[in-house]
Amino acid sequence: MWSVEDVARDAARRQGRGLTVEQVAEKVAEAARREWETQQQLHAPAETETGPFATDPEHLAQLWAAKHAEWLRIATLLETSGEQAYDPEQDARGVAWAQERQARRQGAVDRHAAWARKRQDAKDELRAQVWLSADTSRRLRAIAARAGLQPEQVIAQLADHARMDEDGGVAVAPFTPHLVEES
């Protein structure tokens, strides 16, 4: 859900709170070193482990490049603002990015919740395959054709109108099959 830039920005905002100009410079130097190291690993022969917990060297290189860029941005911000320590709440661009990430996260959460509701509704539905005799099938097709419906729609309406009495008997009052608008 988050890009490498999002991860780098979030990490820098969390780790950078209260860091002095000198400490931010150390973060820039560390990120530059790690960026260089991960780039070197990309071009080296594959000696890395493979498996379910192995890191993707390309992703790691991209992440350190993004972290380096973000720490440079913060260092430049401190230099131009004259502040002696980094305060994420005073970083207008960082605040905007954090709000954008939060909005995207909330959108994803909302979409997932809607999907989960839809799946729950689908669980409450019944799909059935019914085998009918040739005579019953012909009558059903004729009724459906006359009403301008599919045979499945007639069966669904028939089931909707069916009622059970106290003795367990099922009865269907006369009704006219009709096209139902879906919502």
Side-chain angles (χ1 to χ4, degrees), residues 42-148:
L42 278 179
H43 304 299
E47 299 172 10
T48 59
E49 69 177 80
T50 57
F53 303 110
T55 57
D56 176 10
E58 189 172 321
H59 177 76
L60 194 58
Q62 292 171 350
L63 180 60
W64 277 106
K67 284 185 176 187
H68 184 207
E70 183 60 12
W71 283 115
L72 278 172
R73 187 191 71 78
I74 291 172
T76 303
L77 175 70
L78 289 177
E79 184 180 311
T80 57
S81 70
E83 295 291 327
Q84 295 303 307
Y86 178 66
D87 180 6
E89 304 310 316
Q90 299 302 315
D91 180 359
R93 183 178 285 173
V95 168
W97 284 336
Q99 289 171 344
E100 180 185 307
R101 279 191 306 276
Q102 182 58 28
R104 282 190 317 223
R105 181 189 170 286
Q106 189 59 49
V109 167
D110 292 346
R111 285 189 302 277
H112 178 73
W115 173 80
R117 281 191 304 274
K118 190 174 181 179
R119 283 194 44 108
Q120 183 59 44
D121 291 346
K123 284 182 182 178
D124 292 341
E125 293 176 0
L126 173 66
R127 296 190 184 275
Q129 190 171 17
V130 180
W131 296 94
L132 302 173
S133 68
D135 184 48
T136 305
S137 178
R138 277 191 291 276
R139 280 188 308 200
L140 177 60
R141 288 178 207 267
I143 293 168
R146 200 170 184 192

Side-chain angles (χ1 to χ4, degrees), residues 1-23:
M1 179 168 46
W2 281 11
S3 68
V4 290
E5 289 82 9
D6 290 333
V7 172
R9 291 169 184 157
D10 185 62
R13 283 177 60 79
R14 283 184 291 104
Q15 296 170 4
R17 182 179 305 280
L19 293 185
T20 64
V21 174
E22 294 79 23
Q23 291 170 318

Side-chain angles (χ1 to χ4, degrees), residues 147-150 153-154 156-158 160-161 175-183:
L149 301 171
Q150 296 294 318
Q153 293 171 309
V154 173
Q157 289 182 26
L158 182 64
D160 192 40
H161 287 83
F175 74 98
T176 304
H178 61 282
L179 185 62
V180 178
E181 295 293 323
E182 292 191 28
S183 53

